[in-house]
Amino acid sequence: MGGGPAGLYAALLAKQRDPRREVVVIERNRPDDTFGFGVVFSDATLDNLAEADRPTYDAIRGSLAHWDELHAHFGGRVLVSKGHGFSGLSRRRLLAILEDRARELGVALRFEEEVTDPAEALAGSDLVVAADGVNSRIRERFADRFAPRIDVRPNRFVWLGTTFPFDAFTFYFEENRHGLFRVHAYRYEPDRSTFIVECREETFRRAGLDRASEDDTIAYFEELFEGKLKGHRLLKNRSVWRSFPTVHNERWSFENVVLLGDAAHTAHFSIGSGTKLALEDAIALVESLGRSPRVPEALAAYEAERKPKVLAFQRAAQVSLQWFENTERYMALDPVEFMFSLLTRSLRVTHEGLKARDPAFVREVDAHVARKAEAQSGARVAAGGGPPPPMFTPFRLRSLVLENRVVVSPMCQYSAEDGRIDDWHLVHLGSRALGGAGLVITEMTDVSAEGRITPGCAGLYRADHAEGWRRVVDFVHARSRARIGVQLAHAGRKGATKRLWEGMDVPLERGAWPLLSASAIPYHPGSQVPKAMDRGDMDQVTSDFVQAARWADEAGFDLIELHFAHGYLLASFISPLTNRRDDAYGGPIEGRMRYPLEVFDAVRAAWPAEKPMSVRISATDWAPGGLTTDDLVALATMLREHGADILHVSAGQTDPSGKPEHGRLFQTPLAELVRLEAKVPTIAVGNIQSYADVNSIIAAGRADLCALARAHLYDPYWTRHAAAEQGFDLEWPPQYRSVAGYTLRMR
């Protein structure tokens, strides 16, 4: 079902693998009907096609327009990056190649035929491949089986063509009185190029494009891009304005029916062609059919193998499309930083990957980061054989200068006794400070016994707690170049539970203490119901935070981080899921932030003016009815205005019903949003996996520091090893000097 690239390629591969099969393609349109102009293939995709069916590959290869460079027209400059290896091909030509090959192999092609009753086709076939596109009738007919979810994105776009022969994949970022227009353009034939225009809804309407015909649209953009098109014309082909639908399906098959290509999933055009995914789907499907004699088993194997790969691609596409949805956010960036952000927007391309493709451009990026770091920190950046990797540039917070951008993230150890830490904490934090990170932050350290999550949580609510912490701080200062901060918190409604290894979030059976929260809502149905805080409770908790801050200063900490995240006490005021108050401390975000800001202001007044303060926030609750993007920007702006020096941007854990969208760097876009929209420095955290990730985040301006937890549990010397692998000389403690040369030799 469907005679586009997905259906045709699956059909010809199925026939090629077993000529005894009767394979029929049914398409409602004519053979040469197609939407759009050209499609894009990476070199890696072409390699996959070569292995699957050489004659098809040869025909496609002979029709390609190849390019190696990416150009971005931004701020009056043309920014260039090389080494990208992509090719364009006419969509019409691709369909003709696939149709010819299918006929050659004996596939029956039936065009201009409408399937009115899908059940009839199912009954008469061993296998039905639903390759009928983004608006799949098969998928909708059996929606109860596939469970589709379609996310229609807010930007508008129109697919145009042009006679202008682009010699690189080209982006235009053009502003006029109506707003900002983004163009994605590439050549697919010697005298033809694709020209996709994208803009925000408000720009679309201000320009009157909501009332424009195809010819009106062409006239508008021929005038806007007259200087760049150099007399060449724009072309139409059913060029109507659309909103991009991101398609997901809970299941891709049932019985003898399977979804393929856009019917199963879509990925935004900014990351590559949906055609690439469709052809790779076809390869995987036919291979699964060859391995299993029974269709249901083959379809299950196909989905199990293919779906995780597609989901990873869709996650990258989602980040990329959000970059283009919010390009206005990046227009104030320096051109070099803008270009690096554009190239790494999907988070799949890293600093290291780009360095392999275009070392000259990455040297320019690194030099730019180093110059900015020198100006911001007042510290000299060692030049040596060139600028350091971005992660090894300094960063200033008030009087505190960190020598690199790596942070050891707070990690609860649940190993204290009545808040008192011991040698475990000294070794845990001390070893990671020796490991080379610029900043180490303690585990969540509670400001009262009633503010603990578990009986094993660390505290700073008695004078002897400060003595224990001073031992750790003194070791870090004396034995390493790291700086150390303390994270102060109150667990709120998530308190009085067992230690992690005894049962996460399981309430204590004996020895539980009363809990506080913004509203009397338990964390789990079986959890203790907290008391909704009254004025007296607020005053007491504020006093506890202030006293803990004073003890933190006595212990010698360089930084305080207040915990406003993860559903703990102060976070319970911020989220509408946990704050149902009808007084001045509830309602809109300004009311919900009132008490957390009272605590922040009191601690800021008690904490030395020259020492910085961080705040950890949950940027989203991952749940319906939770924090909105507007809430996030507002709360971050308020914290900046009240004197927060940096925000540690995490997410979720507010409510157990939340459904986080996990994946590599899954919270980094949130840190970027806060940094650019609220104009405040940020710490990115969340599945940051490599030094390439850290370099990419810093160089693109997505955050100012990067916090890693599990990486530092696995390897306390993670930062030193990252330096060695990049050839950067990070000074080792004298006791370990002999290993430095060994590590470099091993590299």
Side-chain angles (χ1 to χ4, degrees):
M1 305 285 197
L8 288 169
Y9 200 51
L12 73 87
L13 290 179
K15 191 69 171 175
Q16 178 228 51
R17 296 294 193 276
D18 186 350
R20 297 170 300 172
R21 289 169 171 155
E22 180 186 0
V23 183
V24 180
V25 174
I26 302 173
E27 167 59 47
R28 73 182 69 149
N29 296 312
R30 295 172 300 182
D32 58 350
D33 281 350
T34 181
F35 177 83
F37 295 88
V39 297
V40 179
F41 294 121
S42 68
D43 289 350
T45 301
L46 291 171
D47 291 342
N48 291 340
L49 301 187
E51 292 181 19
D53 185 58
R54 189 74 195 197
T56 302
Y57 165 81
D58 289 339
I60 290 174
R61 173 64 81 179
S63 304
L64 293 174
H66 187 82
W67 65 86
D68 187 61
E69 295 185 357
L70 290 169
H71 294 178
H73 293 244
F74 171 79
R77 290 180 56 181
V78 180
L79 303 160
V80 178
S81 179
K82 300 179 179 179
H84 294 278
F86 280 89
S87 300
L89 173 67
S90 161
R91 185 174 175 84
R92 235 185 217 109
R93 175 63 183 143
L94 175 62
L95 290 175
I97 290 170
L98 297 177
E99 288 166 13
D100 290 346
R101 178 62 173 154
R103 287 192 186 95
E104 177 188 328
L105 290 166
V107 175
L109 304 180
R110 287 156 47 181
F111 291 98
E112 298 182 78
E113 183 173 325
E114 195 74 48
V115 176
T116 55
D117 184 7
E120 213 174 279
L122 268 61
S125 307
D126 296 306
L127 173 65
V128 174
V129 178
D132 51 343
V134 66
N135 298 312
S136 169
R137 294 188 184 184
I138 303 292
R139 185 188 66 223
E140 294 311 308
R141 169 66 177 77
F142 300 104
D144 59 326
R145 303 297 192 98
F146 295 120
R149 177 169 54 89
I150 301 176
D151 175 23
V152 179
R153 303 305 303 177
N155 269 18
R156 296 294 191 127
F157 72 95
V158 63
W159 212 295
L160 301 170
T162 178
T163 57
F164 186 88
F166 288 96
D167 56 3
F169 199 113
T170 300
F171 296 100
Y172 293 142
F173 300 93
E174 193 77 20
E175 287 186 274
N176 66 7
R177 68 187 186 281
H178 299 135
L180 176 67
F181 294 94
R182 313 90 158 115
V183 171
H184 315 242
Y186 55 88
R187 184 162 53 90
Y188 61 84
E189 285 182 349
D191 59 350
R192 290 289 186 274
S193 299
T194 293
F195 195 90
I196 306 169
V197 185
E198 183 182 3
C199 63
R200 284 184 169 176
E201 176 76 17
E202 56 266 31
T203 302
F204 170 71
R205 295 191 177 278
R206 276 197 299 264
L209 295 166
D210 56 327
R211 304 180 300 277
S213 66
E214 287 183 80
D215 291 335
D216 293 336
T217 294
I218 284 176
Y220 184 93
F221 290 113
E222 282 186 340
E223 180 181 351
L224 181 60
F225 293 103
E226 181 180 13
K228 293 183 169 61
L229 292 173
K230 297 180 171 57
H232 285 269
R233 302 302 306 275
L234 293 177
L235 308 171
K236 64 182 179 181
N237 176 11
R238 291 192 286 176
S239 299
V240 295
W241 286 90
R242 304 167 61 202
S243 297
F244 188 84
T246 300
V247 175
H248 297 271
N249 284 276
E250 188 67 28
R251 291 171 294 280
W252 287 11
S253 67
F254 79 94
E255 296 176 1
N256 65 332
V257 186
V258 63
L259 299 176
L260 200 71
D262 284 353
H265 50 72
T266 58
H268 193 251
F269 51 80
S270 64
I271 196 175
S273 172
T275 306
K276 160 208 159 57
L277 289 180
L279 300 186
E280 291 175 346
D281 280 356
I283 294 170
L285 174 61
V286 173
E287 287 179 350
S288 290
L289 291 168
R291 288 193 296 265
S292 177
R294 299 185 67 249
V295 167
E297 291 174 0
L299 299 187
Y302 157 69
E303 183 172 345
E305 175 198 343
R306 186 73 184 139
K307 194 172 185 179
K309 297 175 183 177
V310 169
L311 287 174
F313 200 90
Q314 284 187 302
R315 281 194 294 270
Q318 181 76 5
V319 178
S320 178
L321 77 84
Q322 288 174 343
W323 193 98
F324 281 102
E325 286 173 355
N326 297 291
T327 306
E328 285 81 355
R329 184 183 294 163
Y330 308 103
M331 295 301 286
L333 295 179
D334 173 273
V336 173
E337 192 172 13
F338 179 91
M339 184 64 166
F340 188 84
S341 178
L342 169 67
L343 294 172
T344 60
R345 66 191 178 278
S346 71
L347 307 181
R348 286 164 65 95
V349 176
T350 66
H351 179 273
E352 288 302 297
L354 197 55
K355 188 176 180 179
R357 298 181 188 186
D358 192 350
F361 175 69
V362 172
R363 280 195 299 272
E364 184 181 2
V365 169
D366 291 352
H368 171 74
V369 173
R371 286 192 299 271
K372 279 184 63 178
E374 276 196 342
Q376 190 273 343
S377 68
R380 184 174 176 276
V381 175
M391 66 184 291
F392 290 112
T393 57
F395 188 74
R396 176 182 290 272
L397 294 165
R398 298 199 181 211
S399 65
L400 178 66
V401 178
L402 306 175
E403 73 170 13
N404 64 58
R405 308 299 186 97
V406 180
V407 178
V408 176
S409 191
M411 293 175 276
C412 287
Q413 301 296 293
Y414 306 109
S415 299
E417 291 292 335
D418 190 18
R420 289 192 306 275
I421 63 168
D422 59 19
D423 288 349
W424 176 269
H425 302 83
L426 174 65
V427 174
H428 168 68
L429 294 168
S431 62
R432 278 142 190 93
L434 291 175
L439 176 64
V440 177
I441 303 180
T442 71
E443 65 191 88
M444 176 172 157
T445 302
D446 300 304
V447 299
S448 67
E450 297 77 23
R452 293 173 295 165
I453 308 171
T454 77
C457 288
L460 199 43
Y461 50 86
R462 289 206 311 261
D464 63 317
H465 293 165
E467 294 169 9
W469 281 117
R470 173 171 284 284
R471 185 165 170 247
V472 173
V473 172
D474 286 349
F475 178 88
V476 170
H477 286 162
R479 301 295 186 178
S480 79
R481 298 172 64 88
R483 295 296 177 258
I484 184 167
V486 61
Q487 186 185 77
L488 298 181
H490 189 296
R493 70 177 188 149
K494 295 176 75 173
T497 64
K498 295 181 178 181
R499 290 173 174 85
L500 176 67
W501 49 85
E502 297 170 341
M504 187 173 180
D505 296 330
V506 176
L508 289 171
E509 292 155 4
R510 285 194 293 270
W513 49 87
L515 304 181
L516 298 172
S517 190
S519 298
I521 305 171
Y523 185 63
H524 283 293
S527 299
Q528 182 187 150
V529 178
K531 176 189 176 187
M533 292 176 73
D534 59 25
R535 184 69 260 173
D537 297 322
M538 292 181 188
D539 291 341
Q540 181 59 57
V541 169
T542 302
S543 175
D544 292 340
F545 270 96
V546 168
Q547 182 57 64
R550 291 182 176 134
W551 276 323
D553 185 40
E554 287 181 19
F557 282 107
D558 302 299
L559 170 146
I560 278 180
E561 178 168 285
L562 296 184
H563 206 324
F564 283 19
H566 299 170
Y568 296 123
L569 182 67
L570 298 178
S572 74
F573 278 85
I574 298 171
S575 172
L577 296 176
T578 49
N579 185 337
R580 308 283 175 78
R581 302 176 73 101
D582 57 8
D583 60 5
Y585 294 95
I589 187 62
E590 292 76 15
R592 302 198 308 271
M593 280 295 291
R594 189 183 302 273
Y595 181 60
L597 287 173
E598 287 179 6
V599 173
F600 180 91
D601 290 343
V603 172
R604 181 68 270 180
W607 185 241
E610 71 277 7
K611 289 186 177 183
M613 281 182 61
S614 168
V615 180
R616 189 164 197 172
I617 61 173
S618 282
T620 175
D621 295 320
W622 302 120
L627 283 172
T628 66
T629 299
D630 288 344
D631 286 345
L632 171 60
V633 174
L635 74 87
T637 302
M638 284 185 260
L639 286 167
R640 184 202 73 210
E641 291 171 347
H642 280 249
D645 300 291
I646 195 165
L647 301 186
H648 196 158
V649 184
S650 187
Q653 301 179 54
T654 306
D655 188 279
S657 68
K659 294 182 179 179
E661 298 172 8
H662 288 301
R664 177 176 151 268
L665 308 181
F666 70 110
Q667 293 173 161
T668 297
L670 299 169
E672 179 184 61
L673 186 159
V674 170
R675 184 179 187 270
L676 296 179
E677 295 285 348
K679 306 293 190 294
V680 60
T682 59
I683 305 174
V685 65
N687 210 5
I688 298 171
Q689 296 180 351
S690 66
Y691 66 78
D693 288 342
V694 177
N695 283 330
S696 302
I697 291 167
I698 302 304
R702 295 191 168 96
D704 300 278
L705 303 174
C706 291
L708 297 91
R710 288 182 177 85
H712 281 117
L713 287 180
Y714 180 74
D715 179 5
Y717 295 89
W718 185 90
T719 307
R720 294 195 181 280
H721 293 149
E725 288 179 29
Q726 295 174 85
F728 180 76
D729 185 15
L730 189 65
E731 184 180 353
W732 285 74
Q735 296 91 334
Y736 290 174
R737 288 271 167 83
S738 62
V739 81
Y742 173 77
T743 304
L744 288 171
R745 285 197 303 275
M746 289 293 289
R747 180 179 161 268

